[in-house]
């Protein structure tokens, strides 16, 4: 480490544990700002970079050539020579390290010199990679050596078996580098949640860009069971009745002046190291910030609003926006098993906590003071619970992922998994003193090769193998699954941007099946090494331990779940051309090995006289295999393919349709597993979702073939009834409504899809009510925002849809369109049940025929 810079803000005490949480660029000191948590005091300690780190980038031009360009000293501060290993070209190279006065000068160097390296990494991340400090870890400050060191404290009940440790030692320094990230405990510290309510006029949503509405209530909840409500007294609002005994646990302070309310809220925010919100980046904190400016009390605000990045940070704390965390597809899918579909607070809390927002019977503006307090406090409480439920699983998940990916915790909650994986690889490159290549370098050197042609339009290479299903009813089905197939392949076959198509002539014999690629056999790839290590930690250590009854079982489950998120998302990242280390031949070779594995597994099963019913990407459906046959295939896979197979699930019976990726199965405990069938999708109307669930419930009770055919008759009767109720107008508008989310601003939609038409109808109504002017579709919408769910009904008007809020008695339901939806929903299921949909929909059969 370098000597401490004189005059810097540095107030860490010796022999004291601090938790590194986040880094930022500190403009005042022109360096990194680091946020540590003083664990003992539960307060954030903010320090500026104690070392002489400077912004920089790398160039292949010599120092003399760069000096000859006479670049201003305002852009280049100084030059130095540095040695780096260039993996892409398999050479050790000398580069000129160009130091700049500020991070904002680095892009200017790139513009002047053209090709540079490591010039697009955010400064605060670059600082972490260079210092090899890890967010989420504990550190102490060594006064004599002037450096941070890890105190080594760990959860003493976590044990790494000797056999697993020996296995992991083959990975280049990774075990020593990462072991503390799994074993170091996560301490307790104060956490606060915040939610605000404002005045608003009908059909007018408050905006931070126009903070004219008063803030009427700010509620907080903390992890010491404290609940605080700051309320603006308004003469026109009734006090109302206290609601249940919960009122006694709320510390309520009333204010006559809004400015005083805000100042007290800012004091509370300043007193906690971590504050969580739900959509606080987009509304709560920007509105608080701008309303304070409007009332001339902004000097008291601890909120720092980065408008460009749409992020809010706190002067003396960390802000975590859980809306952005739970919106992350990898978190929703792998950490929480798709338990929620919509990403609003009510949907997520209802799915994960079993309790949602308070359902209002009237508009917020009509609530009494007590009703408003309870509504706002509930939002604050469930927001906090979304971080702490299930023994703090989400919080621990954030910390473990932050440690492993070398990502500040507030960055991690706001960014996609591609940023996490990229940070992990960048940090590992820097630890090993490897040059981080530019995307253009990889494209130029490797991406010109492609061995396969894409089957799916828009893809750059051929994807997975999907074997045609054997449609119909099948009892006693076992599904064998390749555990983390693509990450296993990347590790087992040494796939990395530098190892694919390497420059060793002797490696050209090591061909990738079904392609013209070859893979290096002389050197281990950095991506293969890193992914392989994380995969093996999960499979060899955490997964077995998470299944054992012990004091630490819950924590092992969190660790295992964290790595599952990272591992299962890693190939998706590596296979995306937007990823900065994307290498097309690596993605292409991965799926080629996957196709080869599944095809050879099917052949192996058939050689054992096992009927294969279906095969999809990483799993095969086998009809009535014996335990001996299953074990033989598993052993063969590990020995012959180098990737592990395991029993993923066993069905009492499964019904396969003719369509790939569309089936349902019933487990021995009568639970149902549904894949791809449209009745489970969230944009299916409620009446059809309910009908679909009822059909599946009837089928879940089946235990034998005779029972199945009896249930099939009842299903026929039930579906026929659904058609008849539709024809007779027995379903309400709410039953018929389709819900779809706006994924971008309304005016940016090029395709006038059904939900977009309904959204424009609502926007037009709003514009007329507010401005009394005709709708202009070229002007950004004021009412309909990105992220909003639009509910609409199929009708016979010119748009063929009507927004649910605009439905009236004059609206004519499009019965034909809904009949078509029933056909689509049930045809996939019924196709395997040998039921004639047309016969059912026309009602030309009677009940006795169902049983014949």
């Amino acid at each position: 480490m370098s000597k401490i810079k004189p005059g810097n803000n540095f107030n860490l005490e010796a022999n004291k544990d601090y938790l590194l949480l986040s880094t930022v660029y500190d403009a005042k000191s022109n360096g990194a700002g680091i946020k540590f948590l003083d664990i003992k005091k539960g307060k954030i300690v903010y320090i500026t970079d104690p070392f002489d780190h400077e912004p920089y980038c790398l160039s292949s031009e010599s120092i003399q050539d760069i000096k000859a360009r006479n670049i201003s000293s305002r852009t280049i501060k100084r030059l130095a020579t540095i040695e780096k290993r260039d993996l892409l070209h398999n050479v050790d190279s000398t580069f000129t390290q160009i130091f700049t006065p500020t991070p904002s000068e680095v892009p200017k160097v790139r513009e002047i010199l053209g090709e540079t390296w490591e010039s697009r990494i955010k400064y605060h991340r670059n600082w972490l990679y260079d210092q090899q400090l890890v967010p989420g870890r504990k550190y102490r400050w060594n006064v004599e050596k002037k450096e941070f060191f890890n105190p080594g404290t760990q959860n003493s009940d976590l044990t790494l078996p000797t056999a697993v440790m020996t296995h992991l030692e083959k990975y280049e320094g990774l075990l020593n580098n990462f072991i503390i990230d799994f074993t170091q405990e996560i301490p307790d510290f104060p956490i606060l949640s915040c939610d605000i309510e404002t005045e608003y006029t009908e059909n007018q949503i408050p905006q931070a860009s126009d903070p004219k509405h008063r803030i009427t209530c700010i509620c907080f909840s903390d992890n010491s069971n404290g609940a605080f409500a700051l309320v603006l007294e308004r003469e026109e609002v009734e006090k109302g009745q206290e609601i249940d005994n919960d009122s006694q646990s709320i510390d309520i302070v009333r204010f006559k002046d809004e400015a005083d309310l805000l100042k007290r809220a800012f004091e509370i925010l300043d007193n906690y190291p971590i504050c969580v919100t739900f959509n606080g980046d987009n509304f709560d904190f920007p509105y608080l910030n701008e309303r304070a400016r409007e009332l001339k009390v902004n000097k008291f605000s601890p909120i720092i609003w980065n408008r460009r990045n749409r992020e809010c940070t706190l002067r003396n704390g960390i802000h975590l926006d859980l809306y952005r965390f739970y919106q992350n597809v990898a978190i929703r899918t792998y950490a929480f098993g798709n338990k929620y579909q919509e990403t609003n607070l009510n949907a997520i809390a209802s799915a994960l906590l079993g309790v949602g927002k308070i359902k209002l019977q009237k508009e917020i503006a009509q609530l009494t003071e007590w009703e408003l307090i309870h509504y706002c406090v509930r939002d604050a409480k469930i927001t906090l619970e979304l971080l702490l439920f299930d023994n703090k699983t989400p919080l621990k998940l954030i910390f473990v992922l932050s440690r492993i990916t070398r990502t500040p915790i507030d960055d991690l909650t706001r960014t996609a998994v591609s940023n996490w994986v990229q940070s992990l690889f960048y940090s590992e490159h820097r630890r090993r003193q490897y040059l981080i290549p530019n995307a253009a370098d990889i494209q130029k050197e490797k991406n010109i090769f492609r061995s396969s042609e894409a089957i799916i339009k828009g893809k750059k290479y051929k994807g997975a193998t999907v074997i045609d299903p054997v449609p119909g009813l099948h009892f006693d089905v076992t599904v064998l699954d390749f555990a983390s197939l693509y990450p296993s392949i990347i590790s087992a076959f040494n796939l990395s941007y530098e190892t694919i198509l390497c420059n060793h002539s002797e490696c050209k014999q090591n061909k990738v099946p079904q392609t013209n690629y070859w893979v290096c056999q002389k050197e281990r790839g950095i991506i293969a090494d890193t992914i392989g290590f994380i995969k093996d930690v999960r499979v060899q250590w955490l997964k077995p331990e998470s299944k054992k009854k012990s004091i630490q079982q819950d924590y092992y489950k969190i660790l295992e779940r964290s790595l599952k998120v990272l591992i299962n998302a890693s190939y998706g990242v590596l296979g995306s051309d937007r990823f900065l280390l994307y290498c097309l031949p690596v993605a292409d070779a991965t799926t080629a090995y996957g196709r080869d594995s599944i095809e050879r597994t099917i052949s192996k099963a058939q050689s054992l006289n096992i009927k294969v019913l279906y095969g999809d990407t990483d799993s095969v459906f086998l009809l009535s295999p014996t335990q001996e046959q299953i074990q033989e295939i598993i052993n063969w896979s590990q020995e012959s393919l180098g990737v592990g197979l395991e029993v993923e699930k066993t069905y009492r019976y499964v019904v396969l349709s003719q369509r790939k990726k569309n089936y349902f199965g019933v487990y021995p405990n009568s639970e149902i597993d549904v894949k791809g069938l449209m009745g489970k999708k969230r944009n299916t109307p409620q009446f059809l979702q309910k009908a679909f669930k009822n059909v599946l419930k009837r089928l879940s009770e089946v235990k034998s073939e005779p029972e199945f055919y009896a249930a099939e008759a009842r299903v026929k009767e039930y579906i026929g009834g659904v058609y008849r109720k539709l024809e007779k107008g027995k379903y309400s508008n709410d039953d018929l409504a389709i819900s779809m989310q706006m994924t971008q601003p309304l005016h940016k939609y090029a395709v006038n899809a059904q939900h977009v038409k309904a959204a424009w109808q609502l926007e037009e109504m709003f514009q007329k009510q507010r401005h009394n002017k005709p709708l202009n579709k070229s002007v950004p919408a004021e009412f309909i925002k990105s992220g909003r769910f639009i509910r609409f009904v199929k009708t016979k008007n010119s748009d063929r849809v009507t927004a649910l809020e605009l439905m009236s008695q004059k609206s004519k339901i499009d019965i034909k369109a809904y009949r078509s939806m029933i056909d689509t929903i049930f045809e996939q299921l019924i196709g395997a049940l040998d039921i004639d949909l047309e016969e059912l929909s026309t009602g030309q059969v009677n009940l006795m025929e169902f049983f014949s």
Side-chain angles (χ1 to χ4, degrees):
M1 291 286 183
S2 307
K3 292 182 179 179
I4 294 181
K5 288 181 182 176
N8 272 28
N9 166 33
F10 191 82
N11 50 352
L12 295 185
E13 301 175 35
N15 300 316
K16 191 173 186 178
D17 287 349
Y18 295 93
L19 195 64
L20 175 56
L21 296 180
S22 184
T23 55
V24 296
Y25 172 65
D26 186 277
K28 185 181 288 187
S29 68
N30 189 30
I34 309 104
K35 290 184 178 181
F36 282 100
L37 173 70
D38 183 329
I39 297 171
K40 192 171 183 180
K41 293 181 179 178
K43 299 286 185 184
I44 291 291
V45 179
Y46 180 79
I47 68 167
T48 49
D49 179 16
F51 313 113
D52 55 357
H53 189 274
E54 301 162 288
Y56 67 85
C57 62
L58 306 178
S59 171
S60 58
E61 290 191 34
S62 66
I63 290 179
Q64 292 75 16
D65 289 342
I66 294 173
K67 283 183 176 180
R69 289 175 176 262
N70 293 320
I71 301 170
S72 168
S73 60
R74 291 193 299 271
T75 299
I76 294 183
K77 183 178 179 181
R78 65 186 183 90
L79 304 172
T81 300
I82 188 172
E83 298 286 332
K84 290 270 188 178
R85 178 71 179 174
D86 181 354
L87 292 180
L88 190 60
H89 299 97
N90 195 31
V91 293
D92 293 319
S93 297
T94 301
F95 296 90
T96 299
Q97 192 169 15
I98 304 167
F99 295 93
T100 64
T102 66
S104 62
E105 298 300 315
V106 172
K108 296 178 183 178
V109 173
R110 191 170 66 232
E111 290 175 10
I112 295 169
L113 298 184
E115 188 174 46
T116 57
W117 287 269
E118 305 187 11
S119 59
R120 288 181 168 83
I121 305 172
K122 290 182 178 180
Y123 178 72
H124 71 286
R125 295 288 192 92
N126 218 22
W127 184 88
L128 281 174
Y129 303 151
D130 279 342
Q131 307 306 327
Q132 286 293 295
L133 292 175
V134 179
R137 275 192 195 174
K138 291 179 187 176
Y139 287 98
R140 287 186 184 178
W141 175 249
N142 187 312
V143 178
E144 289 75 27
K145 293 185 178 180
K146 310 300 182 189
E147 67 181 19
F148 294 107
F149 71 97
N150 200 302
T153 54
Q154 67 179 53
N155 189 330
S156 59
D157 292 317
L158 291 184
T159 55
L160 187 62
T162 303
V164 176
M165 186 173 290
T166 302
H167 175 81
L168 296 175
E169 285 174 352
K170 68 181 180 181
Y171 295 102
E172 187 181 334
L174 288 168
L175 179 61
N176 291 334
N177 194 33
F178 282 91
I179 187 64
I180 195 70
D181 299 318
F182 304 116
T183 58
Q184 192 177 77
E185 63 187 356
I186 299 169
D188 292 326
F189 45 83
I191 302 173
L192 181 75
S193 65
C194 175
D195 185 72
I196 75 170
E197 298 298 338
T198 69
E199 289 182 328
Y200 71 99
T201 55
E202 189 176 2
N203 295 323
Q204 192 168 355
I205 300 173
Q207 303 287 337
S209 57
D210 184 22
K212 60 188 177 185
H213 299 89
R214 290 187 297 176
I215 294 175
T216 56
C217 188
I218 306 176
C219 289
F220 303 97
S221 180
D222 70 17
N223 57 339
S224 297
N225 296 318
F228 323 100
L230 311 183
V231 188
L232 183 65
E233 289 188 318
R234 295 170 290 164
E235 291 182 3
E236 69 275 17
V237 175
E238 295 180 17
K239 285 284 189 292
Q241 295 290 319
E242 289 193 31
I243 306 170
D244 62 43
N245 297 329
D246 193 41
S247 304
Q248 299 172 8
S249 65
I250 305 173
D251 185 6
I252 300 170
V253 183
R254 293 178 171 84
F255 298 83
K256 295 185 181 298
D257 183 72
E258 186 189 356
D260 291 336
L261 181 151
L262 291 181
K263 285 192 282 187
R264 178 63 184 128
F266 294 150
E267 287 177 13
I268 294 173
L269 283 173
D270 244 350
N271 206 35
Y272 286 81
I274 289 185
C275 180
V276 295
T277 64
F278 195 89
N279 206 26
D281 278 337
N282 289 323
F283 177 66
D284 300 74
F285 278 5
Y287 199 88
L288 276 169
N289 196 65
E290 294 309 287
R291 188 63 187 163
R293 192 180 302 278
E294 186 89 358
L295 298 175
K296 306 288 192 283
V297 293
N298 51 301
K299 68 178 181 180
F300 298 98
S301 174
I303 298 167
I304 302 166
W305 184 20
N306 185 325
R307 288 174 171 83
R308 181 180 177 184
N309 294 337
R310 296 172 61 198
E311 295 176 4
C312 289
T313 57
L314 294 170
R315 176 178 57 209
N316 296 316
I318 304 291
H319 171 222
L320 305 180
D321 186 344
L322 295 188
Y323 169 69
R324 299 176 77 164
F325 177 67
Y326 278 102
Q327 195 180 36
N328 189 310
V329 175
I331 292 297
R332 182 174 67 193
T333 305
Y334 302 120
F336 297 110
N338 281 317
K339 288 183 180 177
Y340 59 93
Q341 295 299 316
E342 298 182 14
T343 53
N344 57 66
L345 180 59
N346 185 62
I348 296 172
S350 297
L352 300 180
L353 308 178
V355 58
K357 292 167 66 74
I358 291 175
K359 292 183 179 180
L360 297 178
Q361 304 301 319
K362 49 190 173 183
E363 297 294 330
I364 290 181
Q366 299 172 330
L367 298 179
T368 66
E369 186 181 271
W370 272 109
E371 288 171 335
L372 180 65
I373 289 170
H374 279 270
Y375 180 78
C376 190
V377 165
R378 170 73 71 85
D379 282 3
K381 284 186 173 181
I382 61 178
T383 296
L384 182 64
E385 274 302 296
L386 284 178
L387 186 70
L388 302 179
F389 80 92
D390 194 18
N391 194 23
K392 304 181 188 174
T393 287
L395 178 66
K396 293 173 181 176
L397 197 64
I398 289 168
F399 265 81
V400 173
L401 286 169
S402 179
R403 289 173 179 175
I404 297 167
T405 64
R406 282 41 183 158
T407 305
I409 64 168
D410 43 352
D411 281 2
L412 184 123
T413 57
R414 289 183 172 93
T415 55
V417 71
S418 58
N419 295 89
W420 310 348
V421 175
Q422 179 175 294
S423 181
L424 169 62
F425 289 145
Y426 278 11
S427 178
E428 194 58 22
H429 274 75
R430 196 65 59 79
R431 182 181 74 85
R432 302 186 190 191
Q433 291 297 303
Y434 294 162
L435 177 72
I436 299 173
N438 292 326
D441 299 337
I442 300 174
Q443 171 73 22
K444 181 180 177 181
E445 194 71 21
K446 301 288 177 78
N447 287 3
I448 55 173
F449 295 91
R450 180 173 65 179
S451 281
S452 70
E453 291 298 325
I455 296 175
I456 301 174
K457 187 178 180 181
K459 295 287 185 180
K460 296 181 181 296
Y461 51 90
K462 191 175 180 180
T465 292
V466 181
I467 306 300
D468 289 336
V470 179
L473 169 68
H474 308 282
F475 274 83
D476 187 20
V477 175
T478 296
V479 180
L480 292 184
D481 175 73
F482 287 102
S484 303
L485 177 62
Y486 288 155
S488 296
I489 285 171
I490 289 168
S491 173
F493 297 105
N494 195 28
L495 299 179
S496 190
Y497 69 84
E498 78 276 24
T499 58
I500 194 88
L501 301 168
C502 68
N503 57 10
H504 304 126
S505 58
E506 58 269 44
C507 295
K508 291 185 178 181
Q509 302 304 313
N510 185 29
K511 291 285 187 180
V512 177
Q514 306 178 14
T515 75
N516 295 320
Y517 304 133
W518 64 90
V519 183
C520 187
Q521 291 179 296
K522 296 172 70 69
E523 296 173 12
R524 183 73 173 159
I526 188 171
I527 289 176
D529 207 43
T530 307
I531 287 181
F533 169 76
I534 294 174
K535 178 189 71 68
D536 282 1
V537 168
R538 175 178 175 247
V539 174
Q540 302 282 339
W541 177 35
L542 301 177
K543 198 170 182 179
E545 293 294 337
S546 69
K547 295 178 180 179
K548 296 178 183 176
K549 293 291 182 184
S550 69
I551 296 174
Q552 291 299 325
Q553 184 181 21
D554 287 343
Y555 191 59
Y556 276 122
K557 286 180 179 178
I558 291 165
L559 292 174
E560 191 271 334
R561 193 181 297 181
S562 302
L563 297 197
K564 182 179 180 180
V565 170
L566 202 57
I567 285 296
N568 285 339
S570 62
Y571 170 72
V573 169
L574 294 171
S576 169
D577 57 8
R578 289 176 290 182
F579 182 57
L580 294 181
L581 293 178
Y582 168 70
C583 180
L584 188 149
V586 168
D588 199 359
T590 304
T591 56
Y593 275 118
R595 292 192 301 274
D596 182 65
S597 296
I598 200 79
E599 289 165 11
R600 290 173 64 186
T601 301
I602 289 171
S603 295
K604 175 64 177 177
Q606 291 171 338
S607 73
L608 297 174
N609 295 318
I610 303 171
K611 185 174 182 178
V612 178
L613 299 173
Y614 181 46
D616 182 5
T617 309
D618 59 356
S619 58
V620 288
F621 288 56
L622 306 179
L623 181 64
S624 304
T626 65
Q627 288 301 312
E628 291 75 17
Q629 289 173 322
I630 290 171
Q631 193 58 52
E632 183 174 346
I633 295 174
I634 289 174
N635 294 341
W636 166 86
S637 175
Q638 192 62 59
E639 295 169 5
S640 302
L641 303 180
V643 288
L645 264 176
E646 59 186 14
V647 175
E648 182 189 15
K649 47 198 173 186
T650 301
Y651 293 118
R652 182 194 301 156
Y653 74 88
V654 66
V655 175
L656 300 171
S657 75
Q658 292 181 339
R659 298 187 183 185
K660 299 173 181 179
K661 301 180 185 291
N662 286 266
Y663 62 88
F664 82 88
V666 177
Y667 295 122
N669 64 359
S670 296
E671 286 186 13
I672 286 193
D673 182 31
V674 179
K675 298 295 181 187
L677 299 179
M678 291 184 64
K680 291 282 287 184
K681 296 185 178 180
R682 68 182 179 194
N683 58 352
T684 302
Q686 284 297 317
F687 86 97
L688 267 179
Q689 286 194 35
K690 183 179 178 181
F692 192 79
K693 288 177 183 176
N694 285 338
V695 167
L696 291 182
K697 186 176 184 304
R698 286 165 167 77
L699 295 174
S700 71
E701 298 163 355
V702 168
K703 293 183 174 58
S704 64
E705 282 199 45
E707 288 184 23
F708 181 86
Y709 293 116
E712 182 181 38
R714 294 193 294 272
V715 166
K716 289 180 180 180
E717 179 184 5
Y718 180 81
I719 297 174
V722 173
Y723 282 107
R724 291 190 290 275
K725 285 183 70 174
L726 175 67
E727 297 283 358
K728 292 179 180 180
K730 298 292 186 180
Y731 293 117
S732 68
N733 292 335
D734 270 322
D735 291 332
L736 297 170
I738 298 166
S739 179
M740 296 183 70
Q741 189 175 28
M742 303 296 293
T743 57
Q744 59 183 333
L746 182 52
H747 70 284
K748 289 190 175 181
Y749 276 93
V751 178
N752 211 12
Q754 291 181 324
H755 69 299
V756 177
K757 291 178 181 179
W760 278 120
Q761 293 171 7
L762 292 172
E763 183 68 26
E764 183 176 26
M765 176 196 70
F766 169 73
Q767 296 285 8
K768 284 181 178 179
Q769 289 181 349
R770 185 180 181 190
H771 304 296
N772 195 26
K773 65 181 182 181
L775 180 67
N776 184 351
K777 289 191 175 184
S778 64
V779 176
E782 297 181 55
F783 182 56
I784 302 298
K785 301 295 181 184
S786 176
R788 174 167 174 170
F789 278 84
I790 304 296
R791 299 187 71 198
F792 61 90
V793 178
K794 290 177 177 285
T795 54
K796 290 186 176 181
N797 61 0
S798 58
D799 282 339
R800 309 304 295 177
V801 297
T802 301
L804 181 62
E805 296 89 330
L806 302 178
M807 288 291 291
S808 68
Q809 291 182 341
K810 294 181 180 179
S811 303
K812 293 185 177 180
I813 306 297
D814 190 345
I815 300 295
K816 185 177 179 180
Y818 281 102
R819 284 174 57 90
S820 178
M821 290 188 73
I822 298 174
D823 293 347
T824 303
I825 295 297
F826 286 112
E827 71 177 351
Q828 301 165 58
L829 178 67
I830 285 174
L833 299 181
D834 195 28
I835 297 175
D836 187 341
L837 259 180
E838 184 177 353
E839 190 179 64
L840 284 180
S841 63
T842 55
Q844 294 177 350
V845 288
N846 57 49
L847 187 60
M848 290 304 294
E849 288 178 295
F850 292 150
F851 292 93
S852 61

